[in-house]
Amino acid sequence: MDTTTQPITDTKATLALNPLESEAVYIFREVVAQFDRPVLLFSGGKDSITLVRLAQKAFFPAKIPFPLLHIDTGHNFPETIAFRDKLVKELGLELIVRNVQDAIDEGRVTEETGKYASRNMLQTTTLLDALEEFKFDAAIGGARRDEEKARAKERIFSVRDDFGQWDEKNQRPELFNFLNGNIDHGQNVRVFPISNWTELDVWSYIASEKIEIPSIYFAHQRKTFLRDGMLWSAQDDVVFRAEDEEVVERTVRFRTVGDMSCTAAVLSTADTIEKVVGEIRTSTISERGARIDDKRSEAAMEKRKQQGYF
Amino acid sequence: MDVLKIATAGSVDDGKSTLIGRLLYDTKSLTTDKLEAIEKKSKANGFDYLDFSLATDGLVAEREQGITIDVAHIYFSTAKKSYIIADTPGHVEYTRNMVTGASTSQASIILVDARKGVVEQTYRHFFINDLLRVEDIVVAVNKMDLVDYNEEAFNKIVSDFGALTQKQQFKAQRITFVPISALKGDNVVNASTEMPWYDGETLLEHLEQLNPSQVEEVGARFPVQTVIRPKQDQYHDFRGYAGKVSGGTLAVGDAVTVLPSGRSSVIKDILFYNSSFTKVDAGNSCTITLEDDVNVSRGDILVKSAQAPSLTKELQATVCWMDNNALVPGTKYLVQQGTAQILGKVKSINSIVHTDFSGVDATDKLVLNDIGKVTIQLSKQVLNDQFLDNKQTGSFILIDTQSHATAGVGFIGS
């Protein structure tokens, strides 16, 4: 579906967009106008896939005027990587991949060990290195304010210092439509075009736009084991599993797709986008409830963000 | 789906966080894991009821102090609408945060403690909502349980508010009063059985039927964000102006003027993604092409030629100061109106405005959280749109040329 080369075809009466879509498109255009080297952080998850569609819309009929950057933990779901490569090819986008494994091999970060080992935290070093390497001055991400309490205070344009740090006490007020992206050389800005979307908004948009997403978001058979009330993938040998943790094949899907080592599956039979939307609508568990990295302490996300995590 | 952005303001201990928590709880927006966390924490803190304020207080530093110190965004939805609450602290030293929250909101909830009635803080909250021209105000008279759900206490607050509304500038504002108890859940989402004398809507019922953006602006404005040039054979001569319409409607065939240059043309096409449209309403992002090859770039504003405002190099404005460095005459700032950033200088600070409606005083500077009247001199012409007529182009921000911080916000008008 290489929509970028499709001609402008149908004519309709009055343009009346979903206000969240209109806002996201506005934000994308501000990024391109205000920064020299923007980049879109692409994880292969539904939020970053939604960002790609919004960026297409913002600049149509021109192509998306910035590359995608994927920080690969090496523990991605294979389905996500396959999807990523297909999308990039279809849309003719530039993709940059930087690997957490490289930082581990160079001894710059130390891999966690044990039952809850995850490479999620290690992404920060690789991300900051990549921003530095390519001199990116704006990094666009799919974080949403509804995900987590510390994110509820994040700005749409969030300035980071030379060390990639977030100073939550000293954020710029964002008034009306104004997005102030003025920065010094060496600083960069994190940009969150779907800040104001909820998980349900994203799923509804994916459904109404018929956006393709990786197959692991839909119900499938998977070898899993149960720990702390959550289901973990026992395929691919990435997640640490103790001998007494029994592997059972279950019908599951992933509601959020991060590093395999910290993303749990949920029991589900939702095998179409409509069923997924229905499931989210009635769900009583929060999306990040399936992310073990947020459960480490009450202030887990805020601490990671101060250090430069997305 | 409709989205309603709401600002909340209340003094410390008015129960604002509890109200928001109650809204989330009664609309079943709190997920099991979040609810469990609240139960656990409430118990640990020794409370014998659920402390809903824990649902909203975000950052570690705040939790330690037990107060909200910045703007936090909270989301919930009903079958009818999506709600975004900008939660800001109400103390005078957080004027900056209240102004910020109100600037993006279509409605505002002002909390009043039924035991204390209309106090100085209420004046300030109302003043800011008036200054920012928030369309709908809901005065939630909270803690009715602590005044035995007494009708007189509620009526007194309603009548005391009359003194405030007489002084307001934004006459189109709609104000509604609801007696509630956030702690007990009276009239927040579910109707109270304790106040048979009140036959109005609950707070949520009222929000559900609000239909914002009914206040007509004085004319469509289209600040150009960027120029789209595909550089593909198929679109060889394509020049699309990307932006978001504010304050009115633009249609194909409309005669438009590019400001500040004053050149005119006619709208050829209104595009979004792979569709074209005959007209576009305020609030929508789109791409516009013109019949003539006129020079248009970021910072320019397209207006209907018939509604073109005057231009000026000197603005009279009310400014809310948001920076630790005081605003003093003579300092240069970047002034951003729409998408244009223009170098400007504060020519004079004419007065400081008291946010309790008690009037103005002479001053030679504005410090953090002050609101004052200023005259700003600009290096180039800008639109002289009055804020009361045009919310988008009638406002501007002041950017510190050294720190790049957003140092203040201005509302054009004397």
Side-chain angles (χ1 to χ4, degrees), chain A residues 8 10-15, chain B residues 222 245 249-254 267-273 275-281 284-290:
Chain A
I8 294 156
D10 52 335
T11 298
K12 298 178 180 120
T14 306
L15 173 59
Chain B
F222 188 77
V245 183
T249 299
L250 291 172
V252 171
D254 278 352
I267 294 180
K268 183 180 175 187
D269 223 338
I270 295 166
L271 306 166
F272 187 74
Y273 202 29
S275 299
S276 70
F277 300 84
T278 50
K279 63 176 195 169
V280 56
D281 287 335
N284 288 286
S285 289
C286 64
T287 302
I288 286 176
T289 62
L290 299 178

PDB file of all heavy atoms in Angstrom, chain A residues 8 10-15, chain B residues 222 245 249-254 267-273 275-281 284-290:
ATOM      1  N   ILE A   8      -4.300  12.376  -5.643  1.00  0.00           N
ATOM      2  CA  ILE A   8      -5.403  12.878  -4.827  1.00  0.00           C
ATOM      3  C   ILE A   8      -6.673  12.632  -5.624  1.00  0.00           C
ATOM      4  O   ILE A   8      -6.831  13.138  -6.726  1.00  0.00           O
ATOM      5  CB  ILE A   8      -5.194  14.375  -4.525  1.00  0.00           C
ATOM      6  CG1 ILE A   8      -3.958  14.520  -3.645  1.00  0.00           C
ATOM      7  CG2 ILE A   8      -6.415  14.971  -3.868  1.00  0.00           C
ATOM      8  CD1 ILE A   8      -3.290  15.846  -3.701  1.00  0.00           C
ATOM      9  N   ASP A  10     -10.581  11.455  -4.459  1.00  0.00           N
ATOM     10  CA  ASP A  10     -11.967  11.815  -4.180  1.00  0.00           C
ATOM     11  C   ASP A  10     -12.112  13.233  -3.612  1.00  0.00           C
ATOM     12  O   ASP A  10     -11.254  13.723  -2.903  1.00  0.00           O
ATOM     13  CB  ASP A  10     -12.574  10.798  -3.212  1.00  0.00           C
ATOM     14  CG  ASP A  10     -11.721  10.601  -1.985  1.00  0.00           C
ATOM     15  OD1 ASP A  10     -10.500  10.837  -2.078  1.00  0.00           O
ATOM     16  OD2 ASP A  10     -12.260  10.229  -0.934  1.00  0.00           O
ATOM     17  N   THR A  11     -13.217  13.862  -3.935  1.00  0.00           N
ATOM     18  CA  THR A  11     -13.508  15.177  -3.381  1.00  0.00           C
ATOM     19  C   THR A  11     -14.699  15.068  -2.442  1.00  0.00           C
ATOM     20  O   THR A  11     -15.725  14.488  -2.792  1.00  0.00           O
ATOM     21  CB  THR A  11     -13.824  16.185  -4.494  1.00  0.00           C
ATOM     22  OG1 THR A  11     -12.660  16.302  -5.311  1.00  0.00           O
ATOM     23  CG2 THR A  11     -14.155  17.551  -3.925  1.00  0.00           C
ATOM     24  N   LYS A  12     -14.535  15.606  -1.232  1.00  0.00           N
ATOM     25  CA  LYS A  12     -15.610  15.552  -0.246  1.00  0.00           C
ATOM     26  C   LYS A  12     -16.034  16.971   0.114  1.00  0.00           C
ATOM     27  O   LYS A  12     -15.377  17.930  -0.278  1.00  0.00           O
ATOM     28  CB  LYS A  12     -15.113  14.826   1.006  1.00  0.00           C
ATOM     29  CG  LYS A  12     -14.717  13.376   0.732  1.00  0.00           C
ATOM     30  CD  LYS A  12     -14.189  12.712   1.988  1.00  0.00           C
ATOM     31  CE  LYS A  12     -13.803  11.272   1.705  1.00  0.00           C
ATOM     32  NZ  LYS A  12     -12.411  10.979   1.964  1.00  0.00           N
ATOM     33  N   ALA A  13     -17.092  17.080   0.871  1.00  0.00           N
ATOM     34  CA  ALA A  13     -17.616  18.408   1.197  1.00  0.00           C
ATOM     35  C   ALA A  13     -16.745  19.123   2.229  1.00  0.00           C
ATOM     36  O   ALA A  13     -15.808  19.826   1.877  1.00  0.00           O
ATOM     37  CB  ALA A  13     -19.048  18.288   1.680  1.00  0.00           C
ATOM     38  N   THR A  14     -17.020  18.916   3.508  1.00  0.00           N
ATOM     39  CA  THR A  14     -16.303  19.668   4.537  1.00  0.00           C
ATOM     40  C   THR A  14     -15.291  18.786   5.249  1.00  0.00           C
ATOM     41  O   THR A  14     -15.601  17.665   5.623  1.00  0.00           O
ATOM     42  CB  THR A  14     -17.303  20.220   5.574  1.00  0.00           C
ATOM     43  OG1 THR A  14     -18.292  20.966   4.876  1.00  0.00           O
ATOM     44  CG2 THR A  14     -16.611  21.131   6.570  1.00  0.00           C
ATOM     45  N   LEU A  15     -14.085  19.320   5.419  1.00  0.00           N
ATOM     46  CA  LEU A  15     -13.062  18.579   6.145  1.00  0.00           C
ATOM     47  C   LEU A  15     -13.322  18.707   7.642  1.00  0.00           C
ATOM     48  O   LEU A  15     -13.340  19.806   8.191  1.00  0.00           O
ATOM     49  CB  LEU A  15     -11.672  19.130   5.804  1.00  0.00           C
ATOM     50  CG  LEU A  15     -10.492  18.567   6.604  1.00  0.00           C
ATOM     51  CD1 LEU A  15     -10.373  17.062   6.439  1.00  0.00           C
ATOM     52  CD2 LEU A  15      -9.203  19.241   6.181  1.00  0.00           C
TER      53      LEU A  15
ATOM     54  N   PHE B 222      -5.238  31.318   9.123  1.00  0.00           N
ATOM     55  CA  PHE B 222      -4.513  30.101   8.758  1.00  0.00           C
ATOM     56  C   PHE B 222      -3.009  30.362   8.827  1.00  0.00           C
ATOM     57  O   PHE B 222      -2.393  30.742   7.837  1.00  0.00           O
ATOM     58  CB  PHE B 222      -4.940  29.657   7.342  1.00  0.00           C
ATOM     59  CG  PHE B 222      -4.403  28.314   6.925  1.00  0.00           C
ATOM     60  CD1 PHE B 222      -4.962  27.139   7.412  1.00  0.00           C
ATOM     61  CD2 PHE B 222      -3.333  28.214   6.032  1.00  0.00           C
ATOM     62  CE1 PHE B 222      -4.475  25.896   7.018  1.00  0.00           C
ATOM     63  CE2 PHE B 222      -2.841  26.973   5.635  1.00  0.00           C
ATOM     64  CZ  PHE B 222      -3.411  25.816   6.130  1.00  0.00           C
ATOM     65  N   VAL B 245      -6.541  25.473  10.643  1.00  0.00           N
ATOM     66  CA  VAL B 245      -7.454  26.619  10.577  1.00  0.00           C
ATOM     67  C   VAL B 245      -7.889  27.013  11.988  1.00  0.00           C
ATOM     68  O   VAL B 245      -8.221  26.158  12.803  1.00  0.00           O
ATOM     69  CB  VAL B 245      -8.721  26.267   9.759  1.00  0.00           C
ATOM     70  CG1 VAL B 245      -9.633  27.478   9.619  1.00  0.00           C
ATOM     71  CG2 VAL B 245      -8.343  25.706   8.403  1.00  0.00           C
ATOM     72  N   THR B 249     -14.191  29.450   8.879  1.00  0.00           N
ATOM     73  CA  THR B 249     -14.226  28.461   7.801  1.00  0.00           C
ATOM     74  C   THR B 249     -13.535  29.025   6.562  1.00  0.00           C
ATOM     75  O   THR B 249     -13.683  30.197   6.255  1.00  0.00           O
ATOM     76  CB  THR B 249     -15.695  28.128   7.461  1.00  0.00           C
ATOM     77  OG1 THR B 249     -16.305  27.580   8.629  1.00  0.00           O
ATOM     78  CG2 THR B 249     -15.800  27.115   6.335  1.00  0.00           C
ATOM     79  N   LEU B 250     -12.770  28.175   5.882  1.00  0.00           N
ATOM     80  CA  LEU B 250     -12.177  28.559   4.603  1.00  0.00           C
ATOM     81  C   LEU B 250     -12.748  27.638   3.534  1.00  0.00           C
ATOM     82  O   LEU B 250     -12.970  26.455   3.783  1.00  0.00           O
ATOM     83  CB  LEU B 250     -10.649  28.434   4.648  1.00  0.00           C
ATOM     84  CG  LEU B 250      -9.895  29.428   5.548  1.00  0.00           C
ATOM     85  CD1 LEU B 250      -8.421  29.050   5.634  1.00  0.00           C
ATOM     86  CD2 LEU B 250     -10.055  30.861   5.032  1.00  0.00           C
ATOM     87  N   ALA B 251     -12.975  28.194   2.331  1.00  0.00           N
ATOM     88  CA  ALA B 251     -13.555  27.385   1.258  1.00  0.00           C
ATOM     89  C   ALA B 251     -12.816  27.624  -0.049  1.00  0.00           C
ATOM     90  O   ALA B 251     -12.217  28.683  -0.263  1.00  0.00           O
ATOM     91  CB  ALA B 251     -15.038  27.730   1.090  1.00  0.00           C
ATOM     92  N   VAL B 252     -12.863  26.610  -0.904  1.00  0.00           N
ATOM     93  CA  VAL B 252     -12.288  26.750  -2.240  1.00  0.00           C
ATOM     94  C   VAL B 252     -12.977  27.938  -2.922  1.00  0.00           C
ATOM     95  O   VAL B 252     -14.195  28.090  -2.820  1.00  0.00           O
ATOM     96  CB  VAL B 252     -12.494  25.446  -3.051  1.00  0.00           C
ATOM     97  CG1 VAL B 252     -12.108  25.639  -4.514  1.00  0.00           C
ATOM     98  CG2 VAL B 252     -11.689  24.308  -2.422  1.00  0.00           C
ATOM     99  N   GLY B 253     -12.177  28.793  -3.573  1.00  0.00           N
ATOM    100  CA  GLY B 253     -12.739  29.965  -4.238  1.00  0.00           C
ATOM    101  C   GLY B 253     -12.695  31.224  -3.393  1.00  0.00           C
ATOM    102  O   GLY B 253     -12.916  32.328  -3.897  1.00  0.00           O
ATOM    103  N   ASP B 254     -12.379  31.078  -2.090  1.00  0.00           N
ATOM    104  CA  ASP B 254     -12.289  32.254  -1.215  1.00  0.00           C
ATOM    105  C   ASP B 254     -11.109  33.135  -1.628  1.00  0.00           C
ATOM    106  O   ASP B 254     -10.007  32.635  -1.864  1.00  0.00           O
ATOM    107  CB  ASP B 254     -12.049  31.832   0.245  1.00  0.00           C
ATOM    108  CG  ASP B 254     -13.332  31.427   0.969  1.00  0.00           C
ATOM    109  OD1 ASP B 254     -14.424  31.631   0.381  1.00  0.00           O
ATOM    110  OD2 ASP B 254     -13.230  30.910   2.100  1.00  0.00           O
ATOM    111  N   ILE B 267      -8.166  30.609  -3.005  1.00  0.00           N
ATOM    112  CA  ILE B 267      -7.928  29.214  -2.619  1.00  0.00           C
ATOM    113  C   ILE B 267      -8.322  28.287  -3.767  1.00  0.00           C
ATOM    114  O   ILE B 267      -9.450  28.319  -4.255  1.00  0.00           O
ATOM    115  CB  ILE B 267      -8.715  28.833  -1.337  1.00  0.00           C
ATOM    116  CG1 ILE B 267      -8.184  29.626  -0.144  1.00  0.00           C
ATOM    117  CG2 ILE B 267      -8.603  27.321  -1.070  1.00  0.00           C
ATOM    118  CD1 ILE B 267      -8.876  29.330   1.178  1.00  0.00           C
ATOM    119  N   LYS B 268      -7.328  27.495  -4.209  1.00  0.00           N
ATOM    120  CA  LYS B 268      -7.543  26.595  -5.339  1.00  0.00           C
ATOM    121  C   LYS B 268      -8.047  25.241  -4.838  1.00  0.00           C
ATOM    122  O   LYS B 268      -8.987  24.674  -5.371  1.00  0.00           O
ATOM    123  CB  LYS B 268      -6.220  26.414  -6.073  1.00  0.00           C
ATOM    124  CG  LYS B 268      -6.266  25.575  -7.318  1.00  0.00           C
ATOM    125  CD  LYS B 268      -4.857  25.507  -7.904  1.00  0.00           C
ATOM    126  CE  LYS B 268      -4.789  24.571  -9.104  1.00  0.00           C
ATOM    127  NZ  LYS B 268      -3.379  24.417  -9.526  1.00  0.00           N
ATOM    128  N   ASP B 269      -7.401  24.753  -3.794  1.00  0.00           N
ATOM    129  CA  ASP B 269      -7.744  23.421  -3.314  1.00  0.00           C
ATOM    130  C   ASP B 269      -7.490  23.318  -1.813  1.00  0.00           C
ATOM    131  O   ASP B 269      -6.585  23.985  -1.293  1.00  0.00           O
ATOM    132  CB  ASP B 269      -6.866  22.385  -4.034  1.00  0.00           C
ATOM    133  CG  ASP B 269      -7.675  21.162  -4.454  1.00  0.00           C
ATOM    134  OD1 ASP B 269      -8.745  20.917  -3.847  1.00  0.00           O
ATOM    135  OD2 ASP B 269      -7.239  20.472  -5.380  1.00  0.00           O
ATOM    136  N   ILE B 270      -8.320  22.518  -1.137  1.00  0.00           N
ATOM    137  CA  ILE B 270      -8.111  22.209   0.281  1.00  0.00           C
ATOM    138  C   ILE B 270      -7.905  20.700   0.356  1.00  0.00           C
ATOM    139  O   ILE B 270      -8.780  19.931  -0.048  1.00  0.00           O
ATOM    140  CB  ILE B 270      -9.330  22.641   1.130  1.00  0.00           C
ATOM    141  CG1 ILE B 270      -9.470  24.164   1.096  1.00  0.00           C
ATOM    142  CG2 ILE B 270      -9.185  22.143   2.570  1.00  0.00           C
ATOM    143  CD1 ILE B 270     -10.803  24.673   1.613  1.00  0.00           C
ATOM    144  N   LEU B 271      -6.717  20.301   0.829  1.00  0.00           N
ATOM    145  CA  LEU B 271      -6.358  18.885   0.777  1.00  0.00           C
ATOM    146  C   LEU B 271      -6.067  18.339   2.161  1.00  0.00           C
ATOM    147  O   LEU B 271      -5.570  19.045   3.033  1.00  0.00           O
ATOM    148  CB  LEU B 271      -5.099  18.701  -0.079  1.00  0.00           C
ATOM    149  CG  LEU B 271      -5.148  19.294  -1.487  1.00  0.00           C
ATOM    150  CD1 LEU B 271      -3.750  19.339  -2.087  1.00  0.00           C
ATOM    151  CD2 LEU B 271      -6.073  18.459  -2.367  1.00  0.00           C
ATOM    152  N   PHE B 272      -6.382  17.065   2.338  1.00  0.00           N
ATOM    153  CA  PHE B 272      -5.863  16.344   3.497  1.00  0.00           C
ATOM    154  C   PHE B 272      -5.642  14.909   3.080  1.00  0.00           C
ATOM    155  O   PHE B 272      -6.580  14.232   2.649  1.00  0.00           O
ATOM    156  CB  PHE B 272      -6.795  16.422   4.707  1.00  0.00           C
ATOM    157  CG  PHE B 272      -6.160  15.810   5.928  1.00  0.00           C
ATOM    158  CD1 PHE B 272      -5.141  16.475   6.594  1.00  0.00           C
ATOM    159  CD2 PHE B 272      -6.540  14.552   6.371  1.00  0.00           C
ATOM    160  CE1 PHE B 272      -4.515  15.908   7.693  1.00  0.00           C
ATOM    161  CE2 PHE B 272      -5.920  13.975   7.477  1.00  0.00           C
ATOM    162  CZ  PHE B 272      -4.913  14.656   8.134  1.00  0.00           C
ATOM    163  N   TYR B 273      -4.405  14.472   3.200  1.00  0.00           N
ATOM    164  CA  TYR B 273      -4.010  13.141   2.752  1.00  0.00           C
ATOM    165  C   TYR B 273      -4.431  13.005   1.297  1.00  0.00           C
ATOM    166  O   TYR B 273      -4.208  13.926   0.515  1.00  0.00           O
ATOM    167  CB  TYR B 273      -4.647  12.094   3.668  1.00  0.00           C
ATOM    168  CG  TYR B 273      -3.952  10.743   3.674  1.00  0.00           C
ATOM    169  CD1 TYR B 273      -2.584  10.629   3.425  1.00  0.00           C
ATOM    170  CD2 TYR B 273      -4.660   9.577   3.946  1.00  0.00           C
ATOM    171  CE1 TYR B 273      -1.957   9.393   3.465  1.00  0.00           C
ATOM    172  CE2 TYR B 273      -4.041   8.334   3.996  1.00  0.00           C
ATOM    173  CZ  TYR B 273      -2.694   8.245   3.739  1.00  0.00           C
ATOM    174  OH  TYR B 273      -2.094   7.020   3.783  1.00  0.00           O
ATOM    175  N   SER B 275      -7.367  13.098  -0.107  1.00  0.00           N
ATOM    176  CA  SER B 275      -8.689  13.610  -0.461  1.00  0.00           C
ATOM    177  C   SER B 275      -8.645  15.127  -0.598  1.00  0.00           C
ATOM    178  O   SER B 275      -7.812  15.781   0.020  1.00  0.00           O
ATOM    179  CB  SER B 275      -9.705  13.256   0.630  1.00  0.00           C
ATOM    180  OG  SER B 275      -9.807  11.863   0.780  1.00  0.00           O
ATOM    181  N   SER B 276      -9.555  15.658  -1.394  1.00  0.00           N
ATOM    182  CA  SER B 276      -9.688  17.115  -1.443  1.00  0.00           C
ATOM    183  C   SER B 276     -11.087  17.488  -0.955  1.00  0.00           C
ATOM    184  O   SER B 276     -12.007  16.673  -0.987  1.00  0.00           O
ATOM    185  CB  SER B 276      -9.430  17.635  -2.857  1.00  0.00           C
ATOM    186  OG  SER B 276     -10.470  17.254  -3.713  1.00  0.00           O
ATOM    187  N   PHE B 277     -11.210  18.725  -0.482  1.00  0.00           N
ATOM    188  CA  PHE B 277     -12.445  19.166   0.178  1.00  0.00           C
ATOM    189  C   PHE B 277     -12.860  20.522  -0.364  1.00  0.00           C
ATOM    190  O   PHE B 277     -12.019  21.294  -0.831  1.00  0.00           O
ATOM    191  CB  PHE B 277     -12.224  19.255   1.696  1.00  0.00           C
ATOM    192  CG  PHE B 277     -11.838  17.923   2.305  1.00  0.00           C
ATOM    193  CD1 PHE B 277     -10.512  17.503   2.295  1.00  0.00           C
ATOM    194  CD2 PHE B 277     -12.795  17.092   2.851  1.00  0.00           C
ATOM    195  CE1 PHE B 277     -10.157  16.271   2.822  1.00  0.00           C
ATOM    196  CE2 PHE B 277     -12.441  15.862   3.382  1.00  0.00           C
ATOM    197  CZ  PHE B 277     -11.124  15.446   3.371  1.00  0.00           C
ATOM    198  N   THR B 278     -14.153  20.819  -0.276  1.00  0.00           N
ATOM    199  CA  THR B 278     -14.600  22.125  -0.756  1.00  0.00           C
ATOM    200  C   THR B 278     -14.489  23.182   0.340  1.00  0.00           C
ATOM    201  O   THR B 278     -14.326  24.349   0.062  1.00  0.00           O
ATOM    202  CB  THR B 278     -16.051  22.073  -1.271  1.00  0.00           C
ATOM    203  OG1 THR B 278     -16.855  21.447  -0.273  1.00  0.00           O
ATOM    204  CG2 THR B 278     -16.145  21.291  -2.561  1.00  0.00           C
ATOM    205  N   LYS B 279     -14.568  22.765   1.619  1.00  0.00           N
ATOM    206  CA  LYS B 279     -14.311  23.733   2.683  1.00  0.00           C
ATOM    207  C   LYS B 279     -13.759  23.059   3.931  1.00  0.00           C
ATOM    208  O   LYS B 279     -13.819  21.836   4.073  1.00  0.00           O
ATOM    209  CB  LYS B 279     -15.553  24.561   3.000  1.00  0.00           C
ATOM    210  CG  LYS B 279     -16.730  23.782   3.530  1.00  0.00           C
ATOM    211  CD  LYS B 279     -17.853  24.770   3.898  1.00  0.00           C
ATOM    212  CE  LYS B 279     -18.873  24.042   4.755  1.00  0.00           C
ATOM    213  NZ  LYS B 279     -19.839  24.902   5.383  1.00  0.00           N
ATOM    214  N   VAL B 280     -13.194  23.883   4.821  1.00  0.00           N
ATOM    215  CA  VAL B 280     -12.583  23.352   6.035  1.00  0.00           C
ATOM    216  C   VAL B 280     -12.964  24.246   7.218  1.00  0.00           C
ATOM    217  O   VAL B 280     -12.936  25.471   7.118  1.00  0.00           O
ATOM    218  CB  VAL B 280     -11.046  23.221   5.876  1.00  0.00           C
ATOM    219  CG1 VAL B 280     -10.395  24.544   5.484  1.00  0.00           C
ATOM    220  CG2 VAL B 280     -10.403  22.685   7.154  1.00  0.00           C
ATOM    221  N   ASP B 281     -13.349  23.609   8.317  1.00  0.00           N
ATOM    222  CA  ASP B 281     -13.751  24.339   9.526  1.00  0.00           C
ATOM    223  C   ASP B 281     -12.575  24.537  10.477  1.00  0.00           C
ATOM    224  O   ASP B 281     -11.563  23.846  10.387  1.00  0.00           O
ATOM    225  CB  ASP B 281     -14.842  23.559  10.277  1.00  0.00           C
ATOM    226  CG  ASP B 281     -16.181  23.616   9.564  1.00  0.00           C
ATOM    227  OD1 ASP B 281     -16.399  24.595   8.809  1.00  0.00           O
ATOM    228  OD2 ASP B 281     -16.990  22.700   9.755  1.00  0.00           O
ATOM    229  N   ASN B 284      -9.191  22.196  12.152  1.00  0.00           N
ATOM    230  CA  ASN B 284      -8.697  21.127  11.290  1.00  0.00           C
ATOM    231  C   ASN B 284      -7.361  21.456  10.639  1.00  0.00           C
ATOM    232  O   ASN B 284      -7.165  22.556  10.120  1.00  0.00           O
ATOM    233  CB  ASN B 284      -9.721  20.841  10.187  1.00  0.00           C
ATOM    234  CG  ASN B 284     -10.939  20.136  10.733  1.00  0.00           C
ATOM    235  OD1 ASN B 284     -10.890  18.951  11.048  1.00  0.00           O
ATOM    236  ND2 ASN B 284     -12.018  20.885  10.904  1.00  0.00           N
ATOM    237  N   SER B 285      -6.467  20.472  10.659  1.00  0.00           N
ATOM    238  CA  SER B 285      -5.218  20.583   9.907  1.00  0.00           C
ATOM    239  C   SER B 285      -5.521  20.271   8.453  1.00  0.00           C
ATOM    240  O   SER B 285      -6.321  19.381   8.161  1.00  0.00           O
ATOM    241  CB  SER B 285      -4.194  19.572  10.423  1.00  0.00           C
ATOM    242  OG  SER B 285      -3.727  19.947  11.695  1.00  0.00           O
ATOM    243  N   CYS B 286      -4.885  20.990   7.535  1.00  0.00           N
ATOM    244  CA  CYS B 286      -5.069  20.684   6.122  1.00  0.00           C
ATOM    245  C   CYS B 286      -3.916  21.279   5.333  1.00  0.00           C
ATOM    246  O   CYS B 286      -2.986  21.847   5.907  1.00  0.00           O
ATOM    247  CB  CYS B 286      -6.403  21.232   5.611  1.00  0.00           C
ATOM    248  SG  CYS B 286      -6.524  23.024   5.655  1.00  0.00           S
ATOM    249  N   THR B 287      -3.973  21.110   4.021  1.00  0.00           N
ATOM    250  CA  THR B 287      -2.980  21.705   3.131  1.00  0.00           C
ATOM    251  C   THR B 287      -3.744  22.507   2.091  1.00  0.00           C
ATOM    252  O   THR B 287      -4.686  21.993   1.478  1.00  0.00           O
ATOM    253  CB  THR B 287      -2.135  20.602   2.463  1.00  0.00           C
ATOM    254  OG1 THR B 287      -1.520  19.826   3.490  1.00  0.00           O
ATOM    255  CG2 THR B 287      -1.069  21.185   1.552  1.00  0.00           C
ATOM    256  N   ILE B 288      -3.348  23.761   1.924  1.00  0.00           N
ATOM    257  CA  ILE B 288      -4.069  24.648   1.009  1.00  0.00           C
ATOM    258  C   ILE B 288      -3.177  25.000  -0.174  1.00  0.00           C
ATOM    259  O   ILE B 288      -1.982  25.267  -0.002  1.00  0.00           O
ATOM    260  CB  ILE B 288      -4.516  25.927   1.772  1.00  0.00           C
ATOM    261  CG1 ILE B 288      -5.695  25.572   2.695  1.00  0.00           C
ATOM    262  CG2 ILE B 288      -4.903  27.053   0.817  1.00  0.00           C
ATOM    263  CD1 ILE B 288      -6.176  26.721   3.566  1.00  0.00           C
ATOM    264  N   THR B 289      -3.737  24.964  -1.378  1.00  0.00           N
ATOM    265  CA  THR B 289      -3.000  25.472  -2.539  1.00  0.00           C
ATOM    266  C   THR B 289      -3.722  26.716  -3.044  1.00  0.00           C
ATOM    267  O   THR B 289      -4.930  26.879  -2.855  1.00  0.00           O
ATOM    268  CB  THR B 289      -2.906  24.430  -3.679  1.00  0.00           C
ATOM    269  OG1 THR B 289      -4.227  24.116  -4.124  1.00  0.00           O
ATOM    270  CG2 THR B 289      -2.226  23.151  -3.204  1.00  0.00           C
ATOM    271  N   LEU B 290      -2.945  27.618  -3.669  1.00  0.00           N
ATOM    272  CA  LEU B 290      -3.495  28.881  -4.157  1.00  0.00           C
ATOM    273  C   LEU B 290      -3.434  28.945  -5.680  1.00  0.00           C
ATOM    274  O   LEU B 290      -2.620  28.271  -6.310  1.00  0.00           O
ATOM    275  CB  LEU B 290      -2.707  30.050  -3.556  1.00  0.00           C
ATOM    276  CG  LEU B 290      -2.730  30.184  -2.023  1.00  0.00           C
ATOM    277  CD1 LEU B 290      -1.874  31.364  -1.583  1.00  0.00           C
ATOM    278  CD2 LEU B 290      -4.155  30.328  -1.492  1.00  0.00           C
TER     279      LEU B 290
END
